[in-house]
């Protein structure tokens, strides 16, 4: 029968069967790259039926290929993440360099130039303002206050014998009166402040009556009449009283002199530009002890300095 085999066939097949071992599958593990997007942590690769342990060269070649693919995958993923940057000779990615607009010396020069320009502008402003103030001051100098002594009214006049505070006998003089002045401000651009030093009525270098002009403000292009009250009570004349002469009815004419100084000040440009003027006035007069009449002064009677 066909199914039966001879012993020679069995024996011929028996020793040849153990000579071949069955093929075992070979597994290779490839580590995934860090930037892989599939999220798998491990993968297995099975060799094709053509690969076998009897071909060691194919195993080594596959290992090198897997390593190359792993490293190339890392660089590809990193370069893809960085936006495809170029690399230099050493393998480092190139970075954009921020270029400065210019050296720092240029900025320092510009700042120094601006400071110089500011100082020059300030100096120019000061010079121009000073010149302007000088021009205004020079233009305002001719505008001086015009002062005229109008009259002196005697309210009380008495000469008698007596003694001073220490008990020395002498002649005593009492005088009360009102002096009127006319003040005119010719300035067209500023007003003036007017005042005076003590107004003295003098007899033989002895002040027998004293008054004071109160300070006041007078507008521009205006005229004003001011009054100064002079008072002297029981003023000792000492040796000067010996020169007094009396008439038969007891009257005496006493020569006196009005002496004072009037000061005016005008603020042209605030307190920066001012004009100041002084005028010394001296007016001689004679008072009759028996008459208390108004004494008027002519323009030529008094002296103005």
């Amino acid at each position: 029968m066909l199914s039966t085999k001879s012993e020679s066939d069995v024996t011929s097949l028996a020793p040849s069967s153990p000579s071949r071992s069955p093929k075992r599958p070979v597994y290779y593990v490839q580590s995934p790259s860090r930037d892989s997007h599939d999220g798998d942590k491990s993968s297995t690769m099975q060799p094709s039926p053509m690969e076998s342990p009897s071909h060691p060269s194919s195993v080594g070649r596959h290992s090198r290929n897997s390593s190359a693919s792993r490293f190339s995958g890392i660089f590809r993923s990193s370069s893809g993440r960085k936006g495809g940057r170029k690399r230099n000779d050493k393998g480092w990615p190139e970075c954009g360099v921020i270029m400065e607009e210019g050296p720092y010396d240029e900025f320092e020069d510009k700042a120094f130039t601006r400071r110089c320009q500011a100082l020059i502008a300030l100096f120019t402003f000061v010079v121009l303002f000073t010149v302007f103030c000088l021009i205004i001051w020079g233009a305002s100098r001719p505008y001086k206050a015009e002062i005229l002594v109008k009259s002196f009214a005697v309210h009380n006049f008495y000469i008698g014998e007596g003694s001073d505070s220490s008990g020395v006998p002498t002649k005593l003089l009492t005088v009360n009166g009102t002096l009127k002045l006319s003040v005119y401000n010719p300035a067209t651009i500023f007003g003036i402040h007017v005042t005076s030093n003590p107004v003295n009525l003098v007899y033989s270098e002895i002040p027998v009556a004293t008054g004071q002009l109160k300070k006041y403000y007078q507008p521009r292009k205006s005229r004003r009449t001011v009054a100064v009250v002079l008072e002297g009570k029981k003023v000792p004349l000492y040796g000067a009283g010996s020169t007094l002469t009396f008439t038969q009815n007891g009257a005496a004419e006493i020569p006196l002199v009005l002496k004072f100084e009037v000061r005016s000040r005008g603020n042209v440009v605030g307190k920066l530009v001012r004009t100041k003027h002084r005028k010394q006035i001296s007016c001689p007069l004679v008072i009759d002890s028996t008459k208390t009449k108004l004494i008027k002064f002519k323009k030529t009677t008094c002296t103005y300095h």
Side-chain angles (χ1 to χ4, degrees), residues 26-294:
V26 180
Y27 295 92
Y28 299 95
V29 178
Q30 181 181 7
S31 300
S33 62
R34 296 181 180 179
D35 298 327
S36 60
H37 298 285
D38 53 0
D40 295 338
K41 294 184 180 180
S42 63
S43 63
T44 59
M45 293 181 62
Q46 293 184 359
S48 61
M50 296 299 295
E51 294 176 348
S52 64
S54 63
H55 299 83
S57 61
S58 63
V59 175
R61 184 167 57 253
H62 180 77
S63 177
R64 286 194 299 270
N65 293 334
S66 63
S67 300
S69 64
R70 180 169 65 252
F71 286 106
S72 63
I74 294 174
F75 284 111
R76 281 197 301 270
S77 62
S78 61
S79 62
R81 185 172 62 250
K82 297 296 182 180
R85 292 182 179 176
K86 297 181 180 180
R87 298 182 176 273
N88 55 16
D89 298 337
K90 295 183 179 181
W92 297 99
E94 295 182 356
C95 298
V97 180
I98 301 175
M99 302 299 296
E100 297 290 342
E101 294 182 357
Y104 289 104
D105 295 339
E106 182 178 353
F107 292 101
E108 294 179 357
D109 293 341
K110 289 183 179 179
F112 179 75
T113 303
R114 290 177 181 175
R115 286 194 294 267
C116 290
Q117 291 176 351
L119 291 176
I120 292 173
L122 179 61
F123 178 75
T124 304
F125 172 77
V126 171
V127 171
L128 293 177
F129 184 76
T130 303
V131 172
F132 171 76
C133 291
L134 289 175
I135 293 173
I136 295 297
W137 177 80
S140 62
R141 288 291 297 172
Y143 296 100
K144 300 179 181 180
E146 299 178 2
I147 302 170
L148 293 175
V149 180
K150 302 293 288 184
S151 63
F152 181 71
V154 180
H155 305 305
N156 187 12
F157 188 88
Y158 172 77
I159 297 176
E161 296 289 339
S163 60
D164 61 3
S165 59
S166 61
V168 177
T170 184
K171 291 181 180 180
L172 304 178
L173 178 62
T174 299
V175 180
N176 292 327
T178 301
L179 177 67
K180 288 187 178 181
L181 306 173
S182 175
V183 182
Y184 173 68
N185 177 21
T188 58
I189 59 175
F190 60 90
I192 58 175
H193 299 267
V194 182
T195 185
S196 73
N197 64 347
V199 180
N200 294 323
L201 184 62
V202 181
Y203 171 73
S204 185
E205 301 300 327
I206 298 175
V208 294
T210 303
Q212 180 71 47
L213 175 63
K214 293 181 180 180
K215 184 178 180 180
Y216 73 95
Y217 175 77
Q218 186 163 337
R220 58 187 179 179
K221 298 292 288 185
S222 62
R223 187 182 297 274
R224 182 174 179 178
T225 300
V226 294
V228 182
V229 177
L230 281 72
E231 293 182 351
K233 185 177 181 181
K234 294 182 179 181
V235 178
L237 300 178
Y238 299 111
S242 60
T243 60
L244 292 175
T245 58
F246 296 90
T247 62
Q248 292 179 356
N249 57 2
E253 292 183 351
I254 303 175
L256 301 171
V257 180
L258 280 169
K259 291 183 178 180
F260 60 98
E261 180 184 85
V262 177
R263 296 188 295 265
S264 63
R265 173 176 55 85
N267 296 333
V268 183
V269 183
K271 294 184 178 181
L272 296 177
V273 181
R274 293 180 174 182
T275 59
K276 296 181 179 180
H277 298 283
R278 294 183 179 184
K279 185 168 289 190
Q280 294 180 354
I281 302 172
S282 178
C283 300
L285 70 155
V286 177
I287 297 178
D288 190 347
S289 61
T290 59
K291 299 177 181 179
T292 56
K293 64 178 181 179
L294 181 65

